[in-house]
Amino acid sequence: MATMATPAPKSTPGNMANFNILHGFAEALVRGMRSSFLADADYHHLTQCETLDDVRLNLSETDYGDALADMNTLIPTGLQKAAVEKLVTEFQYLRTQAIEPLSTFLDFITYEYMIENVMLLLKGTLSGRDINELIAQCHPLGMFKESTMRSIPTFESSPRGYQDLYQTVLVDTPVGPYFSLFLRETAGRSEVSNVLEEVEIEIIKSSLIKYWIEDFAQFVDSLGGETAIIMGDLLKVRADTNAINITLNSFGTPLNEPAMRASDRKRLYPALGHLYPAGTSMLADVSDEDELGRVLELFPQYSSIWNVHASGGSDGKSIDDAFYERDVQMLELAFEGQMHFGAFYAYVKLKEQEIRNLVWVSECILQQQKEEIHKFVPVFSFNAPWRAGAKKQGR
Amino acid sequence: MASATCQSAYCNQGWSEVLTHMSPYGFANFGIAFGLGLSVVGAAWGIWLTGSSLVGAAVKAPRIRSKNLIRRVWSGVDCWNSTAIYGVIMAIILANKVKKPEEAASSLSEDWDWAGYYYAGYGMFSSGLSVGLTNIASGVSVGIAGSSCAIGDAQDSSLFVKILIVEIFASALGIFGIIVGIIQSNSCTFPITALSG
């Protein structure tokens, strides 16, 4: 694993008897916010709606009421924007209440969005899009200063350009260390990569996310206790998901060429997770979906997810849906234990899932695709396959 | 080695000598202090464990802030109060047992009830510790249960009574301490006069 970009925490979250000294209030806050998730009944009402006005009416009864109050006509993108802004407000409220080491933990959650924003800006300029339009698309959790945001797209997308981008702009940002790790690693190799610029951007993004996951995992590990157990597992699964998706998405791209599999694709697999190291070294040799399936067959927790993909989505599910479902199940577990930081990460991720659900439902209503409307993963649902409530109803 | 050991007649030969030469009155009063002090530590520990969670959970669920909060704070306070009150009760019982000799003299007579004298001192010291240590455990335990209770109650108010029962079990741990403490201190009475005959 690379050396830690973020210094080790000076103190640990503590155990059952003293966690609450510093973090009791913030933890209770996030657990209180858990009650704001849409319930089964809310989803039921939403899926019965005929128009988006009905959706707005139904949502006004829920926690989203205030966020949508001054919205005259509801459109899916507007709903998404308002919901994300609401999540960001809540997250920033938590952040202001947090003290070390929780504050660094919360910052870690935002680094992922920062990486995505940098990549969005770089990618957007490649396709010649307007900077204002791009900034509007950036995730508000990963915002830099306005001047930083505006200067990122001015650099050309070449190794030289990335070097300049790092040295003049990104060095001051929290994701700078990840970028410098990436530059150091690419500088060590000869200039063989004549890949397309589009692929190059994806490789940079995957590398940065890999460094972020590894750094986050090391930080969480040094926190110790319940946090290391629960959050460590969430990050392991996250790393595995990334490794599988990188492999799956590389088919049909230059990244799948035999020369690049070992040199470039293998480097993108995070150095942690249930697949690491045996699984990832096997993934490095995979050249098509059948071979990927045979590797995943060896890992029981992923073979079922792979089967969803291999069966071509028998009940209309994609591998992303299967991953989402597994994520929701794992993230809900973070709320089952107390006195650890995992719940903060889980809250952000579960809220994202809820926003995806809302967008899906409203899109289905907008496009009159009512038969597709139930294809979402509700959060904290009593009808979830892993809950006792599902058995009672004979599902 | 010789330089480390004190040769003077007024020096103590280590902790064992200090402890065996301590006045039983001193032991008795330390027992009272530990019994009360540790009980209050336990109660205070429990209150901040739950208090921080309670305030946090009430932000998003104002429902528990009003009637429910008062109800649960009261029951919680009751649990911790009982923890602290056990300490106070024990301190009062023990304090009443510490009696000074009727005839104040610079030294006690030969026919003084030395056995009863030392027994009372050690007995009251340990009964104070029994109460104090069990109440720390009980207070922390009530606190952790109460912290989860506050968070659980914010999500589902029907859990309130159920978790409260768990909390009461935790606070019952303190009762074990006070029962044993009282039994321990029962036969501890400081002699006030010399044995007759």
Side-chain angles (χ1 to χ4, degrees), chain A residues 271-293:
Chain A
L272 73 149
H274 301 292
L275 289 179
Y276 180 82
T280 48
S281 69
M282 280 191 279
L283 283 181
D285 303 326
V286 161
S287 69
D288 58 25
E289 293 205 358
D290 287 343
E291 288 181 37
L292 176 57

Side-chain angles (χ1 to χ4, degrees), chain A residues 4 6-14 22-23 100-102 104 219 222-223:
Chain A
M4 212 161 159
T6 310
K10 292 192 178 63
S11 58
T12 58
L22 297 178
H23 313 299
E100 280 300 328
L102 176 59
T104 309
F219 179 79
S222 52
L223 288 177

